[in-house]
Amino acid sequence: MAKKKGNPMQGKVINKKQLKRFIIIIDALKSGKHLTAEELLQHCNDGYQKDVTVQAIWRDVEALRYCFCAPIDTYPGPGKKGYYLIDSNYDFKLNNFSAHDVFYLSAAKTMLSTFKGSSVYDSVSQVIDFVTETQCRGRSKLLDRIAVPPIPRVAAKNEGVWEQVLTAMQENRIIEFDYNGRWNTKTSHRRVRAYQILLDDGHCFVFGYDETRDAERLFALNRIKNLVVSDVTFELPEDYEFASRCGGGKFGSFIGEGPVEFVVDFYGDSREYVKECIWADDQKLEDFDDEDRTRISFSCTQEFPVKEWILAQGANAVPVSPDWFVEQWKDCVRDMAERAGLS
């Protein structure tokens, strides 16, 4: 076998386009034929890589030999010269995904379909498609049997904001933008240290420290306008993760001022519903079968989504404590009764 040269990828990063060429080259050589660099180039051109040169093919072959231990040698003759595989059973490492691996990658894309049409979906699906399309080859028809039911999607799109925020987070640079909130719809200018991007039920949020409010805040990406990534950097705190601000609660993208201890009673068919999930780290469940009631006790900082969670169960969910929260819930019930013409 030809002696391997020095690492041809020294100081370089293998990109997706080059990985596609690696797969094309290995698949072509698996035919058992001796193929010249020009013939391998034609295979790449047939694979819709029109801007590839013979020199690039030479580098690719050396990279396959050095970085992936591909048993590629040069046929010395007599007859036609060219590259060939010493071991036809060799499989490019990127190809070493099982059918189950490919299936679960594709299933992950399906689960992300609530973000379809957004930058995050496009970016993630391109990577998953690259892996699955080069591996799947019809092996998993079961993929069509997993789906996400139709749910509302975010109507407003703000292309480019996703990439700008990612750039800012990579370099810990402060971002500035105009924003309209859910409750305060008046436009205000914000200066934010972006800690994380949160993906929540089809929505994307930026979580970080708002210097203009001197507090941590959440910002929906689709409401961000005129975003600018500044040259000013900040030091990312060790405890930057959003989950640590939820007080153990698992009610999505919302944080309050401090942990609240909740007690809620569920009735009827909502009893099974509340027992199906972990809603908070410290939750406790107690059944009162003679009253057709299940009580859940837990603490978290997310009082607003907790209230929405209770109201979504209608008459089958009733908060017991704290008192101020019970009064807020009663106010909502009174408002609904009034709008329904029942009061």
Side-chain angles (χ1 to χ4, degrees):
M1 183 174 178
K3 185 179 180 181
K4 288 193 291 187
K5 301 176 182 178
N7 184 359
M9 299 306 298
Q10 184 92 32
K12 300 178 182 177
V13 176
I14 298 175
N15 57 43
K16 187 169 72 173
K17 199 171 182 180
Q18 191 170 18
L19 284 173
K20 285 184 177 180
R21 292 204 303 274
F22 290 171
I23 293 170
I24 292 171
I25 290 170
I26 294 298
D27 284 349
L29 292 176
K30 279 194 168 187
S31 67
K33 298 178 181 178
H34 305 147
L35 299 175
T36 64
E38 288 77 10
E39 288 171 322
L40 290 173
L41 175 62
Q42 185 57 52
H43 279 277
C44 290
N45 287 339
D46 292 343
Y48 305 103
Q49 293 208 18
K50 304 296 185 183
D51 56 345
V52 185
T53 63
V54 171
Q55 289 78 11
I57 298 298
W58 293 340
R59 289 192 295 270
D60 289 345
V61 170
E62 290 306 314
L64 281 164
R65 284 171 169 169
Y66 191 96
C67 302
F68 298 95
C69 299
I72 301 174
D73 207 347
T74 304
Y75 186 65
K80 178 185 174 183
K81 309 292 184 181
Y83 297 112
Y84 72 102
L85 276 178
I86 296 174
D87 180 5
S88 60
N89 292 318
Y90 171 80
D91 206 4
F92 180 45
K93 287 187 178 180
L94 188 64
N95 287 352
N96 290 339
F97 286 93
S98 69
H100 277 86
D101 292 335
V102 173
F103 171 77
Y104 288 121
L105 272 175
S106 298
K109 177 185 171 183
T110 300
M111 288 186 284
L112 279 171
S113 63
T114 53
F115 296 91
K116 199 168 186 176
S118 67
S119 297
V120 58
Y121 179 83
D122 292 342
S123 299
V124 173
S125 63
Q126 282 176 13
V127 175
I128 293 177
D129 285 346
F130 167 62
V131 175
T132 56
E133 286 172 6
T134 58
Q135 310 300 313
C136 210
R137 295 170 187 168
R139 286 185 293 177
S140 191
K141 293 182 180 179
L142 188 60
L143 287 173
D144 294 334
R145 306 287 292 276
I146 291 184
V148 174
I151 63 171
R153 290 180 185 161
V154 177
K157 298 177 184 177
N158 208 344
E159 299 298 336
V161 170
W162 168 265
E163 288 80 6
Q164 287 179 286
V165 173
L166 282 182
T167 297
M169 290 198 303
Q170 282 179 321
E171 302 171 5
N172 288 336
R173 292 161 63 186
I174 291 174
I175 56 176
E176 296 193 42
F177 53 86
D178 296 327
Y179 190 72
N180 302 87
R182 176 177 174 180
W183 292 279
N184 182 8
T185 57
K186 185 178 179 180
T187 301
S188 59
H189 189 73
R190 304 300 181 97
R191 182 179 170 89
V192 175
R193 305 172 190 175
Y195 293 167
Q196 284 183 306
I197 286 181
L198 308 178
L199 309 179
D200 184 2
D201 198 20
H203 294 262
C204 299
F205 295 90
V206 176
F207 168 62
Y209 179 78
D210 184 354
E211 292 187 350
T212 54
R213 297 292 188 272
D214 192 24
E216 292 177 342
R217 291 287 189 268
L218 287 165
F219 303 95
L221 254 66
N222 62 297
R223 299 194 201 111
I224 291 176
K225 299 177 181 66
N226 305 320
L227 186 144
V228 174
V229 179
S230 76
D231 293 328
V232 182
T233 60
F234 65 93
E235 185 175 344
L236 185 68
E238 291 185 6
D239 61 338
Y240 65 86
E241 293 193 15
F242 170 78
S244 66
R245 312 300 199 267
C246 299
K250 306 181 188 303
F251 291 89
S253 300
F254 185 92
I255 47 175
E257 295 301 321
V260 177
E261 295 183 1
F262 295 97
V263 177
V264 186
D265 285 341
F266 285 78
Y267 297 85
D269 55 16
S270 292
R271 296 179 66 191
E272 289 304 312
Y273 163 76
V274 75
K275 290 189 281 188
E276 286 174 348
C277 298
I278 303 298
W279 305 100
D281 290 340
D282 63 351
Q283 75 177 39
K284 295 178 181 178
L285 291 163
E286 188 176 4
D287 285 323
F288 300 88
D289 293 333
D290 56 333
E291 301 176 20
D292 191 27
R293 173 169 62 96
T294 296
R295 172 166 289 184
I296 183 172
S297 305
F298 62 92
S299 60
C300 74
T301 63
Q302 302 167 292
E303 62 266 20
F304 185 79
V306 169
K307 183 168 62 177
E308 290 184 328
W309 175 63
I310 293 170
L311 288 168
Q313 295 303 308
N316 280 343
V318 178
V320 178
S321 69
D323 292 341
W324 61 265
F325 181 78
V326 174
E327 288 306 312
Q328 285 188 3
W329 171 78
K330 287 181 179 179
D331 288 340
C332 288
V333 174
R334 292 188 191 100
D335 289 343
M336 286 190 291
E338 182 177 347
R339 287 172 182 167
L342 301 177
S343 60

